[in-house]
Amino acid sequence: MEIIVTHEMTDFDGLAAAVAAQTLHPGALIVLGRMLGHEVRDYLALHKDRIASRGYEQIVPEAVRHLIVVDVRQKSRLAFFSALVERAERGEIEVSVYDHHPAADDDLRADHLFVERVGSVTTLMVEQMIAKDARIDEPSATLLALGIHADTGSLSYAGTTARDARALGWLLDQGASLRVMSRYLKPPFTPNQRALLVALLGQLEVERIGNLEVAFVHHELRRAFSGFAEVVSELLELTGHAAVFVVLGIAKKRTFVIARSGSPLLDAGAPLRALGGGGHRTAASATLARGDSASVLEQLRTSLRAQPPEARKVSELMTSPVHSVGPGASWADVARSLHSWRHTGVPVLTDGVVVGIVSRSDVERAEAGGRLELPVSSSMSQHVKTIDADASPERALQLMQEHDVGRLPVLRDGRLVGIVTRSDLRRMLYGEA
């Protein structure tokens, strides 16, 4: 017997990869765990009869000769299949692993290991299907496309690669239905999810870790239900914090930990892997067989404080020293200065204090109005948006977006020490030197 398994709280990437594995390993049966994501449960309500699967209680572990594991390789995340894992570790079962998560200390022994750092493990499966010139029908192509969309945030998450986009393009060529995908990608919240979101918003505690605002929340529930991950993703989106760590205690017996990070500087997966969980930089989770959920939250906080993210500061991106002009300089002088310095704007200083700012467009307006010989103080912008040298680049980006400005004077103790521009932030966002 060949069986295909994935992690608990199976999401679309796990299910899609399992179905793709059946194409690569004809005759293998999918065996799902006890808990499924609610979006997967809704999908299976309509599509279960298309998938060759059995319940774990219907198989005899001793009869399994080939174990195919997708979207996971940590033994701690395969606890439901512990009997099979033990046989695999003793070398009694052939093991094939398809995964895209970072390595961990408790990774399963594998005879065949297919691991790549792509946004979705389904991408790896699709690439092998393409290499074998496989053909699939519209419903299967749609499910596999859902797997890639779900784990890459529709190709928007930081871990997304060009390979994910190419795999998705191939699936669209195979007939993947965008109309069906839209039905499952972001379904409406259930009453339980809505109630949990309200509770978490009310209990959120924000702490500055390094140079980032990180939110923590601990909440007790009488029973588990599906859809925790979607609630935490919504929590991050609503609050706008760099990251959110949520610890949910279940009837004082189990603990779920879900983390989401919106900052490239904070790896949400690292502290959860230390707890026996897994995930990526942007999204991670852990399930613990312990009831002391409050202490788990404190353990997370301690871990993050001990190794704070190496948050960049505006002072690392700014240009310094800054070319500046006095309020008595003429517009003609400023025009010559900008041309000589190859700048698009310049702050106006009086005794080292910023009193205004002018841009190339201001110079062009002065020239068009015949005002080049007038001092810049006659029509400079005096409502200057500034930023502290120790502020985060994210804050600089936020200010530029809110006020539609292209540069921010950088201050330390009220004195000008530099200037940060759109170009500086673009270089940071796109990873340029």
Side-chain angles (χ1 to χ4, degrees), residues 216-294:
F216 299 90
V217 60
H218 167 246
H219 186 69
E220 290 288 338
L221 292 168
R222 284 178 292 184
R223 62 180 182 84
F225 55 84
S226 61
F228 290 157
E230 291 82 358
V231 172
V232 179
S233 295
E234 185 72 10
L235 189 64
L236 178 68
E237 189 172 329
L238 286 174
T239 60
H241 297 304
V244 175
F245 290 84
V246 176
V247 177
L248 300 172
I250 311 296
K252 303 292 185 181
K253 295 180 180 178
R254 282 187 296 159
T255 299
F256 289 116
V257 187
I258 307 104
R260 294 291 183 268
S261 173
S263 170
L265 303 173
L266 196 154
D267 181 356
L272 269 67
R273 286 191 289 273
L275 290 172
H280 315 280
R281 295 187 65 88
T282 55
S285 63
T287 302
L288 311 176
R290 48 191 280 197
D292 56 335
S293 53

Side-chain angles (χ1 to χ4, degrees), residues 5 21 26 46 60 77 79 126 172 188 291 337 340 357 364-365 384 417:
V5 303
L46 186 62
V60 179
R77 301 188 70 201
V126 168
L172 290 172
S337 297
S340 174
I357 196 162
E364 290 169 355
R365 281 192 290 270
V384 185
V417 293

